[in-house]
Amino acid sequence: MPELPEVEVVRLFLEDKLLNKTISDIEILNPKSFIGNPELVEGQKIIKFTRIGKQLSIHLSNKLILLVHLKMTGQLILGDKMLGHPTKFEKYPNKSTRLIFHFSPSCQRGGRGEIVFFNDQRKFGWIKLMSKTDLVEAQSNLGHDIFDSQFTPKYIFSQLQRSSRPVKQVLLDQHFFAGIGNIYANDALFLAKIHPQTPSNKVSSSQTKLIHQYLLKIMRQSVQAGGSTAKDNKYLRPDGSPGSNQFFFQVYQREGQPCLVCHTPINKIKLGGRGTFFCPGCQPLCNKN
Ligand SMILES: [Zn+2]
């Protein structure tokens, strides 16, 4: 599933290419992928892109917002009306294309308009049209975003104190923290030398400083690397290319391979139904800090 860094890469890319562009038409190939009246979007200019956690908001000139959730396999791919192959990687639309956004032609582009394909193989993702009030309400139950200035070691500590579930599960809970998914939770806990099954409220204040430091570090690095296109996900950048942060994974998807620090084979267990990777050497369960 695309996590904070991947959605941030998508946001930055689309902001660069589509800010102040006008959506002329939406083709809805799968009705469940679009919630709202598409006529209220057609003819509207995009005035801003924002993001909280894994959710992207596209703000329109009529003050309505398109809230995008890519879920497991969603992609937003930017194409070009005049080209048979909108990206150099694959031809779109493909069998996973659920929505197509057409943009008004512009003089700078020789009379051509952009096209955005919303592809979603597993159909869990969606784009929903809503008012500002509805957006605030929809996002009121989210924790602070990892890139928000309010995401501090003190905040992490107070949130972790609220639960006795394994720390890894609490990090993934979007009500506690917005934007952390399986990749970055596994790798941040490894770097902080905390066993993923440690009860959340037993994580010390000094350990939360490490979680803060490493989460920010690996998520910023991932944005620089264009996000992570892991073995089990479909994440692509909007130009159709994969990210390259998967080459920097610490423990995620490295089961049985030697730990990058102590060479102990990386272990894999299931926690809350999610694959959980850790080094038994670097992350002992009775970690008394
Ligand atoms: Zn190790």
Side-chain angles (χ1 to χ4, degrees), residues 190 259-264 279 281-282:
F190 167 75
C259 167
L260 298 174
V261 174
C262 74
H263 310 295
T264 305
C279 169
C282 295

